[in-house]
Amino acid sequence: MSETVQSSETTRKVRVFLVDDHALFRAGVRTELDSITDEVEVVGEAGTVGEAVAGIAAKLPDVVLLDVHMPDGGGAEVLRKVRPTHPAVVFLALSVSDQAEDVITVIRAGARGYVTKTISSQELVRAVVRVAEGDAVFSPRLAGFVLDAFADRPGSAPISDPELDLLTPRERDVLRLLARGYAYKEIASELFISVKTVETHVSSVLRKTQLSNRYELSRWASDRRLV
């Protein structure tokens, strides 16, 4: 008994931020987490991408429980906007969807795990604690999607990336060389196109990915293993 008391007194609670566009769901998760454990502490919540970005920056939680689909951009958009400035914040996707495309999109964007909303309260607490400690956590069968997407095995089924699919083959070629550090003139020479055409392709890629500079593009390309 004394060992248990000592552990609870010395272990810092995992600070959790909830992101979901359904207020009732957020309230339910907050109530469950607050009532069943002293391992986690809900420090804030948000229902939109904008609210999430601002709230996470203000609260600096350990773990963000992140919905995948929201009207103004979804979980991947939150990840893209938060991770460059707050790399220590860990994201765990919590979604009703168990589709491979959704899993891979948020994992490529930087989430540490993905669980579905059928998860029990106790299991959710354990998942939050584990990702805070550095583990990767997935609901049953979802881990297979990630392994297939990143294993580079012959015969592995390719997982589509809706954002990557927006780019033309030539735009991908330009992005790949850009992420490798090529200058515009070098890209033009490598692809036998003009510098002006390179600039046009880069502008198009920036618009489609909603990124703002070469550094962000390079990271985006690296996350999708284009480099």
Side-chain angles (χ1 to χ4, degrees), residues 73-90:
E77 184 68 11
V78 175
L79 281 156
R80 281 193 296 272
K81 291 185 174 181
V82 172
R83 288 192 70 229
T85 52
H86 302 290
V89 177
V90 179

Side-chain angles (χ1 to χ4, degrees), residues 201-221:
H201 285 314
V202 171
S203 295
S204 178
V205 172
L206 285 169
R207 175 178 52 79
K208 290 179 179 180
T209 59
Q210 297 184 356
L211 301 176
S212 59
N213 56 52
R214 179 174 185 152
Y215 170 78
E216 291 180 353
L217 276 180
S218 296
R219 183 167 184 168
W220 190 90

Side-chain angles (χ1 to χ4, degrees), residues 96-161:
V96 68
S97 171
D98 62 357
Q99 297 301 302
E101 292 81 2
D102 291 332
V103 177
I104 299 306
T105 294
V106 294
I107 296 302
R108 280 178 168 151
R112 189 64 184 169
Y114 192 116
V115 295
T116 60
K117 291 181 178 179
T118 58
I119 192 170
S120 72
S121 300
Q122 293 287 353
E123 289 172 336
L124 181 58
V125 170
R126 295 312 308 156
V128 168
V129 172
R130 284 180 59 193
V131 295
E133 293 174 344
D135 291 342
V137 179
F138 297 91
S139 288
R141 96 182 185 89
L142 301 188
F145 297 152
V146 179
L147 291 174
D148 284 345
F150 292 98
D152 283 336
R153 297 181 311 189
S156 293
I159 304 297
S160 65
D161 183 331

Side-chain angles (χ1 to χ4, degrees), residues 49-68:
V49 170
E51 290 175 356
V53 173
I56 293 167
K59 298 293 186 179
L60 293 179
D62 300 306
V63 176
V64 176
L65 281 177
L66 184 65
D67 193 14
V68 173

